[in-house]
Amino acid sequence: MVQQIEDLLEHWLPLADDAWVLAVITHIQGSSYRKPGAMMLFHEFGQGAGILSGGCLEADLRRHAQNAMQSQQIACVTYDATDESDASYRLGCGGKVDIMLIPLLKENHDIGLVEVAKALRKRQSGFYQLPLAPAGSDARSYSAQFYSVDNAPFPTADFAKSGIFSATEGDTLIIPLRPRFHLGIFGGGIDAQPVAAIAHSLGWQVSVFDTRTAYARTADFPHAHIVKQSLDEVEGLIAQLDCAVVMHHNLNLDAAALKAIQAYDLKYVALLGPAHRRDKVLAMADLSTESFSGYFSAPAGLALGGELPCAVALSILAQCHGVLHGAPCSTLDGIMP
């Protein structure tokens, strides 16, 4: 969970008066566990929040973070595993990773992370601009900035996710940030529980919609927001969703849910059940498979095999995750170098 930027910041904020260092990947060459823009925080007592590798680098990074805290200077570290004869850091991916470590200080206003946290709490997307400073630079004078999507002073269309952007003042790391994905589960039965649990483990926000008394009980969905109001009373919440899974196991309720969802721009909508049931539910809602602005999956999910609720949940959320991240349905050997 602490890999999510919001989880990192929520972990940091209550202890922001303590000494911290932000570690961020600025560049990679070859294969790497995480990509430029990935962040991790180190506390003065040694504990870390987040992850930048599969566990290969964090212990050594902690030492560099402690040095950066004491000196109040920016540190730059490169881990190079392209030479397979050097197993110093045991980088499993065999790539080269550049990491910048920045002490968070009152003098540098915690490099704007409070503003980032406030924006994400308001579900605002934007861009975090981090100048690439040389090692030994005074961290007290370092400045970073968060820009909303509408007021960014650089052409944001020049990069898709994150990367180096050459601004007029020099090299800068631009990290696109967005609030955590928000999943709506329509139907709070037993098989919805693993859907909510897996989504929570991915760091997503989860809302469970079900007006029925015996369903969507708080004890069964400890990390989800339970919505008991009728759908026409919570249109504002539905409008905030990024994706939805409809699984009431009730034709009328599923049809009503699809009707309510269809009015909004969700990236992914899944309906549980076979194709003949899908056609019946759509007909009852006076909709078609083309009625949805995003990806409509029915029968829901990928053909991974298995029939138990956890397997079905994995199938649906794997497909949903791919759609949300714009991932092609490709095998990894065609993507990873």
Side-chain angles (χ1 to χ4, degrees):
M1 283 278 294
V2 288
Q3 284 86 337
Q4 296 284 341
I5 179 62
E6 285 184 88
D7 296 314
L8 282 176
L9 297 180
E10 294 301 331
H11 180 89
W12 164 73
L13 277 171
L15 302 171
D17 290 335
D18 297 346
W20 290 87
V21 166
L22 176 73
V24 57
I25 295 178
T26 58
H27 183 260
I28 64 170
Q29 180 181 329
S31 299
S32 172
Y33 190 84
R34 300 199 68 195
K35 302 298 183 278
M39 291 180 274
M40 182 175 182
L41 287 165
F42 288 98
H43 186 264
E44 59 183 315
F45 294 149
Q47 63 265 41
I51 191 169
L52 295 184
S53 75
C56 317
L57 311 177
E58 283 71 15
D60 188 66
L61 271 177
R62 186 175 293 109
R63 177 175 59 86
H64 288 285
Q66 294 286 345
N67 292 336
M69 286 180 205
Q70 294 171 8
S71 66
Q72 296 192 339
Q73 294 180 341
I74 291 171
C76 298
V77 186
T78 297
Y79 296 98
D80 187 356
T82 56
D83 180 3
E84 295 183 357
S85 64
D86 181 5
S88 301
Y89 304 112
R90 302 185 184 279
L91 279 173
C93 295
K96 184 177 180 180
V97 181
D98 295 329
I99 298 172
M100 182 168 65
L101 298 101
I102 313 162
L104 306 184
L105 307 168
K106 291 181 179 179
E107 292 87 345
N108 62 22
H109 305 287
D110 294 318
I111 62 173
L113 288 180
V114 173
E115 288 70 28
V116 174
K118 288 179 179 178
L120 294 176
R121 282 177 173 177
K122 297 177 182 176
R123 296 195 60 77
Q124 295 177 352
S125 299
F127 299 87
Y128 189 39
Q129 184 179 37
L130 286 164
L132 299 183
S137 300
D138 189 346
R140 292 171 296 183
S141 59
Y142 185 86
S143 178
Q145 182 70 44
F146 178 79
Y147 297 99
S148 68
V149 172
D150 297 328
N151 69 1
F154 41 79
T156 59
D158 282 3
F159 54 91
K161 291 184 179 179
S162 62
I164 299 298
F165 178 83
S166 296
T168 55
E169 67 272 21
D171 284 337
T172 305
L173 182 69
I174 306 293
I175 307 174
L177 299 177
R178 54 149 293 140
R180 63 181 80 245
F181 292 116
H182 191 174
L183 168 68
I185 303 174
F186 293 80
I190 294 174
D191 59 343
Q193 293 176 31
V195 178
I198 295 175
H200 172 71
S201 72
L202 291 169
W204 298 2
Q205 180 179 348
V206 181
S207 295
V208 180
F209 300 78
D210 203 321
T211 58
R212 297 172 293 181
T213 304
Y215 294 80
R217 295 173 298 185
T218 302
D220 296 329
F221 298 91
H223 302 294
H225 172 52
I226 305 299
V227 182
K228 285 295 186 181
Q229 298 99 310
S230 63
L231 297 181
D232 57 0
E233 295 179 285
V234 291
E235 292 178 346
L237 180 58
I238 297 174
Q240 296 176 16
L241 300 177
D242 296 292
C243 46
V245 179
V246 179
M247 50 190 313
H248 287 101
H249 299 284
N250 178 289
L251 293 174
N252 290 316
L253 292 176
D254 281 355
L258 289 181
K259 193 72 173 177
I261 292 167
Q262 182 269 337
Y264 302 99
D265 185 21
L266 276 66
K267 296 179 176 64
Y268 177 88
V269 176
L271 173 65
L272 212 64
H276 65 83
R277 184 181 187 278
R278 170 201 64 203
D279 296 339
K280 191 170 185 177
V281 173
L282 287 172
M284 292 173 64
D286 195 25
L287 299 172
S288 72
T289 56
E290 306 299 323
S291 298
F292 301 88
S293 57
Y295 190 97
F296 181 64
S297 178
L302 301 173
L304 302 181
E307 60 179 14
L308 294 177
C310 284
V312 174
L314 176 63
S315 165
I316 295 171
L317 291 179
Q319 184 182 48
C320 180
H321 189 281
V323 171
L324 292 176
H325 287 273
C329 293
S330 305
T331 57
L332 287 179
D333 61 356
I335 298 173
M336 297 183 71

